[in-house]
Amino acid sequence: VSNRAYGVLRGRLESIVGSASVSDNDLDQFVYSGGASTAMPPVRKLGRWGEGVKPLFIVWPETTEQVRDLVLLAREHHFPLVPWGGAVGYRGGSQPVHSNAVVVDTKKMNHILDIDERAMTITVQCGAFVEEINLALDGLGYWFPMDPPSFCSSTVGGFVGSSAAGWFVPKYGYIGDLLIALEVVLPTGDILRTKPVMKHSVGPNLNWLFVGAGGTLGLTTELTLKVYPKPAACIVHVATFGSFHDAFEAAYAVTKRGAQPFVLRVGDEGHSINYLGPELNYLDLRGCTVVVGFDGDPAMVDVQERLALEEIARHGGTDLGREMGEVFMATRFNYFRSRKNPDYFTDVITTCTSFSKLEAVYWDLRCLYEQHDVYWSHHIPHFCQKGASLYNIYRVPATEEGLERCERVRREGFDIVLGYNATIEHHHEIGMLLADYVQAELGSGATVLQAIKDALDPDNIMNPGKLGLRR
Amino acid sequence: MACKTEHLQEHYDDVVRCLICSSKFCMRWCPSFEATKSEAVFSAGLNHFALGILTGLTEYTPSAVQRLYTCLSCGSCRDIRCVAEYLGPSVDSPAIVQAMRTDIVDSGIAPDVVEGIAVRTLETHNIFGDDPGRALPLDHWSALRPGETPEMVCFLGCVVRHKNPAMATAARRITQAVGTSTQLLPGEWCCGLPLLRMGFRSLAQQMAQHNVDVLNRSGARTIAFCCPSCHKAFTEVYPREFGLRLVPDACLLLEYVSQSLEGGGLQLTTDVSERVTIHDPCSLALARKEVNLQRTVLQQVPGLELVEMVRSGSQTRCCGGAIWVKELFPDLTKAHGQRRLQDAAETGARTIATACPNCWRALQEAARVNEANYAVRDIVELVADAL
């Protein structure tokens, strides 16, 4: 970019968002190249920052109209826009891949626009953090039940882009399920607003087009989301089992009998030693585990609790009591205790499959990890009505050899997962790190996805190079 | 741009410890992030840059150097929600930033504005560069007879010495009411802590050495500090950094007030009839985890109704009063002040009490710049009103 063109572009950006909301500061450019937010720490420690390149500018719009004007300017001047929410997706979804990119940080778009108590919905701008949303709802007796560890730094727009999950999806669902309506600035500059209705039959529900799209099809600017009354009662139990199979069967029985836990998790031995034990500050925790909890009306909670305890006992489990459940709820984000050794780092295969295949996928991945000497922890964080996610963590030394082993394990692990027709990624973004696997995952769906991208974004300006789409 | 890295290298492990956390728990609590929404100005962004420096992937360009001075050194990232505490102590990101600034200063590439603050402090012995002759006259305080050593020396600090004589008057009235023979310090200089924060380590040491020498020669049994930052400098920072130790006992003036109230030496009888909200200074509420002292004192002021801001106590919001931010980024300082005044407005109080002269100055300035009708008072002043 010539100096003159650079100056002109800067002036145009400033005319849209104001001079205080445009930066080409070297420190900002370095941080927004994405490394701080997306690469795993030991990768940074080794000085390997992935493919992120410094953007030309970072801008912070405040309104939908400003986003639209940025899109129109990008089309006119042929530069890519890279949406940036909380950038905690770990897969490089917010990293610019072109040196003339402009990063659009959405965190100034964090206003609560409307709370409709009767409808039990909240309408917010895309850059709001869950913590901010729940602060606004708290006094009214409602809450928004997305609860990932990044509750304080993920934006709701980013949730949509990465098709995110919280800890309470067994009852409350994923971000796509919690979504009533969207406002999206399309890559042409047109603004799409879907209707705030729970369902319609007028063609496909277009909300879902943008869930998991990683900001490649448009920039989500406003969302109407479901909120729920704060539960009058909430109980959680932690139980131990002699085998992964028994723990799995107990959770399956709870689900099959129609109970609706807000949290239902299954962990193996590695999960107890390396994650759940340190989280609970109960370092003697051994065996496999089920964490099950119910919230809502006390009478319904009571019935479901009894049902769950019956199934735990029937499958040979030992209930550690409500008190341990309370500790779990209070310390569930203390997973940093499991990362005590900075000389190692962890990566993860986060798959999702049906109940009929899940145990087989688990054992194949576990064998792979043991074969490569990287076994660390497996658990099912989201045990839902018709299937479950399986979170498989492996640990390698933070060395060049470790990184190579990490990539070998990931590649071979994905071969296993795809062999079962399970997914390569359940709830993190795809970004750049997993882009090469999208074709294998989607098959002819990848062609459909590219065709949609080409139709909506003829100039390829919206977060190019992500999700396996054209750079 | 070639730059030294020797101070930053000492913090390598902490830089990595910060970056192990990928969830940015501390981001929302950083006042600089709150004002700019930039991920480059809070701890993870700054530590990412630090690692870039240490691994040779980036360098200290003039604009990057300037950006490093947006950090207020308030410690919100370290003290409010740093999850590294599960792995050991919280990551001291302000210390990492200070190390980078020290390398920058030692390499002679600090911003001119920052150099200017350092030079004028060295010349005038106060951070504002005010004429030393126009400081609070020492005869403002009760004079002692020749040869007599005071029980207590009151260390005013730059703000009280040059900007807030009312606080000095209040302190004098209180010590007189208690009957403690107290003297001001002839030759008191800036404590030097702001210089250290800006990276001027040797100048800070020079200031510290002078003050420690004079205080140790005073013969006083106790040094009472009006400012919690000065107190922290002499009791924690300088012993650790420079091996300098005060011989007399050191306390906050507010601690002296609290003890005097508790012991019955100080009695408050005048009704002040005010609704007051409290702004907790970072140096007290975050660094020292002290949130009860200021409330205990205020609750003993007759007729005073204390109302809390949303962000108070151990989750206080920084006033934004760091002098380097004020002079390099006035709009940012204005935004910090405006945000804190908004917190105060939500309480319905029109008086803001604080226990830090620098916060007093910053909030006064914020009220003036934002044309907001607030009285900002040091807690010691409110106590003196009730005598």
Side-chain angles (χ1 to χ4, degrees):
Chain A
V1 181
S2 70
N3 283 346
R4 188 174 166 279
Y6 191 85
V8 168
L9 183 55
R10 185 181 180 109
R12 295 286 299 276
L13 291 170
E14 287 181 352
S15 71
I16 294 171
V17 294
S19 58
S21 291
V22 178
S23 175
D24 57 356
N25 184 286
D26 292 327
L27 203 157
D28 287 41
Q29 285 177 332
F30 183 73
V31 171
Y32 281 88
S33 68
S37 314
T38 50
M40 291 294 191
V43 181
R44 295 175 214 146
K45 190 174 172 181
L46 291 171
R48 285 166 49 161
W49 253 260
E51 291 181 74
V53 297
K54 288 183 185 178
L56 263 191
F57 294 100
I58 304 100
V59 295
W60 289 265
E62 294 182 44
T63 64
T64 299
E65 289 67 33
Q66 289 179 353
V67 173
R68 180 200 58 206
D69 291 349
L70 289 169
V71 168
L72 294 175
L73 186 66
R75 289 194 75 182
E76 182 189 335
H77 286 262
H78 308 291
F79 61 83
L81 294 174
V82 182
W84 184 292
V88 287
Y90 309 129
R91 307 296 200 199
S94 306
Q95 284 182 310
V97 294
H98 297 284
S99 58
N100 65 336
V102 172
V103 167
V104 183
D105 187 331
T106 59
K107 286 194 283 292
K108 282 189 180 175
M109 299 179 71
N110 65 340
H111 291 100
I112 310 291
L113 302 171
D114 182 50
I115 297 174
D116 186 335
E117 290 188 61
R118 182 73 175 168
M120 290 191 282
T121 61
I122 187 168
T123 301
V124 295
Q125 283 188 300
C126 58
F129 300 138
V130 176
E131 195 171 26
E132 293 173 325
I133 292 174
N134 276 325
L135 278 174
L137 290 169
D138 193 50
L140 301 171
Y142 291 90
W143 73 306
F144 176 59
M146 267 306 269
D147 193 50
S150 59
F151 67 98
C152 50
S153 54
S154 286
T155 63
V156 282
F159 280 156
V160 170
S162 58
S163 190
W167 289 44
F168 306 148
V169 296
K171 178 175 176 180
Y172 294 103
Y174 297 92
I175 186 66
D177 305 310
L178 291 165
L179 196 56
I180 294 279
L182 277 180
E183 178 189 83
V184 183
V185 176
L186 298 170
T188 52
D190 295 322
I191 298 174
L192 169 72
R193 293 186 180 92
T194 63
K195 275 204 170 157
V197 293
M198 58 165 262
K199 185 198 176 288
H200 66 71
S201 58
V202 191
N205 184 337
L206 292 178
N207 287 346
W208 285 96
L209 188 57
F210 302 94
V211 177
T216 58
L217 303 179
L219 201 151
T220 304
T221 44
E222 288 180 15
L223 308 91
T224 300
L225 301 161
K226 298 175 187 171
V227 300
Y228 291 83
K230 280 160 67 178
C234 172
I235 63 100
V236 175
H237 286 265
V238 180
T240 57
F241 291 82
S243 71
F244 187 76
H245 176 74
D246 288 345
F248 178 84
E249 287 299 325
Y252 180 65
V254 169
T255 301
K256 197 174 174 188
R257 286 181 66 185
Q260 202 174 24
F262 76 97
V263 59
L264 183 54
R265 302 164 70 88
V266 175
D268 76 350
E269 300 89 340
H271 182 67
S272 295
I273 295 170
N274 297 320
Y275 268 82
L276 190 57
E279 272 173 26
L280 297 170
N281 209 13
Y282 176 33
L283 300 179
D284 292 333
L285 184 66
R286 291 294 179 272
C288 298
T289 53
V290 166
V291 177
V292 59
F294 302 95
D295 70 350
D297 183 88
M300 290 170 73
V301 166
D302 191 46
V303 170
Q304 296 184 94
E305 181 188 23
R306 272 189 277 122
L307 184 152
L309 290 175
E310 267 174 39
E311 293 302 335
I312 287 168
R314 198 163 70 84
H315 290 86
T318 305
D319 174 34
L320 301 181
R322 279 190 184 184
E323 294 74 20
M324 192 59 85
E326 284 168 17
V327 175
F328 171 83
M329 289 301 286
T331 62
R332 65 191 185 280
F333 297 132
N334 292 4
Y335 61 93
F336 287 86
R337 284 190 175 141
S338 64
R339 297 190 188 175
K340 273 189 176 153
N341 193 338
D343 293 331
Y344 286 82
F345 79 100
T346 54
D347 200 358
V348 60
I349 291 175
T350 323
T351 187
C352 177
T353 187
S354 65
F355 292 135
S356 54
K357 293 178 188 165
L358 197 136
E359 278 191 274
V361 176
Y362 163 72
W363 281 112
D364 280 9
L365 284 174
R366 180 163 168 173
C367 287
L368 174 77
Y369 286 11
E370 286 175 351
Q371 186 189 324
H372 285 281
D373 195 22
V374 297
Y375 171 67
W376 188 243
S377 159
H378 298 261
H379 70 287
I380 300 171
H382 315 99
F383 207 109
C384 301
Q385 293 289 318
K386 296 292 178 213
S389 65
L390 182 62
Y391 203 99
N392 310 278
I393 303 168
Y394 53 104
R395 191 179 86 146
V396 296
T399 61
E400 292 292 344
E401 186 280 327
L403 281 181
E404 279 165 23
R405 203 171 354 148
C406 170
E407 289 183 14
R408 213 162 46 239
V409 170
R410 184 189 301 138
R411 204 168 47 244
E412 292 176 23
F414 281 168
D415 285 345
I416 291 171
V417 162
L418 290 169
Y420 282 99
N421 208 14
T423 182
I424 58 164
E425 185 52 71
H426 168 259
H427 64 271
H428 298 127
E429 64 183 359
I430 296 303
M432 290 190 297
L433 195 65
L434 305 187
D436 291 346
Y437 299 96
V438 171
Q439 177 70 47
E441 164 91 10
L442 295 182
S444 59
T447 312
V448 174
L449 190 60
Q450 184 66 60
I452 293 170
K453 169 74 171 170
D454 291 343
L456 289 182
D457 188 5
D459 302 312
N460 199 24
I461 57 164
M462 198 59 85
N463 209 8
K466 310 295 165 55
L467 251 186
L469 296 165
R470 267 191 299 116
R471 286 173 84 105
Chain B
M1 194 180 296
C3 182
K4 296 176 179 175
T5 58
E6 62 182 82
H7 289 97
L8 179 58
Q9 278 171 20
E10 291 171 18
H11 295 269
Y12 178 82
D13 286 348
D14 258 3
V15 170
V16 171
R17 263 182 356 110
C18 172
L19 296 177
I20 282 176
C21 165
S22 307
S23 290
K24 307 177 187 174
F25 283 87
C26 60
M27 181 163 71
R28 200 169 74 75
W29 301 88
C30 169
S32 300
F33 167 78
E34 201 174 19
T36 63
K37 300 295 182 193
S38 169
E39 294 203 16
V41 301
F42 86 108
S43 56
L46 294 168
N47 281 321
H48 178 226
F49 180 74
L51 194 58
I53 291 289
L54 289 170
T55 51
L57 281 170
T58 189
E59 58 183 356
Y60 289 113
T61 63
S63 76
V65 165
Q66 181 125 336
R67 197 68 157 150
L68 278 177
Y69 283 88
T70 53
C71 173
L72 293 152
S73 305
C74 67
S76 298
C77 53
R78 176 193 61 212
D79 297 318
I80 298 184
R81 198 192 264 169
C82 176
V83 296
E85 67 181 343
Y86 301 133
L87 315 175
S90 299
V91 173
D92 193 353
S93 293
I96 297 170
V97 172
Q98 184 180 308
M100 286 195 273
R101 291 173 182 168
T102 307
D103 288 331
I104 285 164
V105 166
D106 288 354
S107 304
I109 54 170
D112 290 346
V113 170
V114 174
E115 288 274 1
I117 297 171
V119 168
R120 79 188 187 208
T121 307
L122 189 65
E123 287 172 355
T124 64
H125 305 146
N126 70 85
I127 198 77
F128 308 111
D130 284 356
D131 179 356
R134 296 183 62 190
L136 189 75
L138 292 179
D139 58 7
H140 179 86
W141 214 270
S142 59
L144 291 172
R145 295 194 195 95
E148 189 179 8
T149 54
E151 283 178 61
M152 191 162 84
V153 157
C154 194
F155 191 95
L156 298 177
C158 295
V159 175
V160 178
R161 222 159 14 111
H162 289 269
K163 306 290 182 194
N164 190 7
M167 162 123 184
T169 303
R172 187 192 64 201
R173 289 182 60 208
I174 289 169
T175 55
Q176 282 172 348
V178 178
T180 309
S181 78
T182 310
Q183 181 60 290
L184 296 184
L185 182 69
E188 175 189 314
W189 288 4
C190 168
C191 72
L193 194 59
L195 296 177
L196 192 67
R197 297 276 181 256
M198 288 189 289
F200 296 92
R201 190 177 164 81
S202 60
L203 293 189
Q205 186 170 9
Q206 207 174 317
M207 293 286 178
Q209 183 74 62
H210 165 85
N211 283 319
V212 168
D213 288 347
V214 176
L215 287 167
N216 284 348
R217 277 202 307 267
S218 70
R221 244 187 325 203
T222 306
I223 313 295
F225 289 91
C226 292
C227 167
S229 291
C230 300
H231 178 260
K232 181 183 162 144
F234 288 102
T235 55
E236 289 176 37
V237 181
Y238 295 154
R240 186 183 68 228
E241 297 285 330
F242 306 134
L244 294 173
R245 286 178 200 285
L246 282 180
V247 174
D249 294 336
C251 71
L252 280 170
L253 183 64
L254 197 60
E255 288 172 317
Y256 163 82
V257 170
S258 176
Q259 283 159 13
S260 302
L261 285 168
E262 199 179 322
L266 188 63
Q267 287 176 356
L268 307 181
T269 51
T270 307
D271 194 307
V272 299
S273 298
E274 271 191 79
R275 189 170 212 220
V276 173
T277 188
I278 183 168
H279 164 77
D280 290 281
C282 307
S283 50
L284 207 53
L286 299 185
R288 277 184 58 178
K289 318 268 183 233
E290 179 58 82
V291 297
N292 293 325
L293 174 67
Q294 43 281 44
R295 285 165 181 77
T296 307
V297 171
L298 278 176
Q299 279 158 1
Q300 293 180 69
V301 176
L304 187 145
E305 183 198 353
L306 183 60
V307 285
E308 296 283 1
M309 298 192 219
V310 174
R311 291 270 306 265
S312 66
S314 58
Q315 296 194 338
T316 188
R317 195 194 301 274
C318 177
C319 67
I323 193 147
W324 56 90
V325 177
K326 179 176 183 282
E327 301 202 8
L328 270 170
F329 312 104
D331 287 347
L332 205 49
T333 296
K334 187 177 173 186
H336 292 313
Q338 203 166 19
R339 188 69 193 81
R340 198 52 173 155
L341 292 182
Q342 196 181 321
D343 288 340
E346 287 166 8
T347 68
R350 304 310 300 178
T351 300
I352 305 172
T354 184
C356 169
N358 200 40
C359 297
W360 171 87
R361 181 190 60 79
L363 292 170
Q364 281 255 333
E365 183 74 3
R368 189 185 63 76
V369 170
N370 292 291
E371 295 176 355
N373 183 25
Y374 281 100
V376 184
R377 310 288 305 279
D378 196 287
I379 293 173
V380 170
E381 291 178 62
L382 288 165
V383 170
D385 286 356
L387 282 173

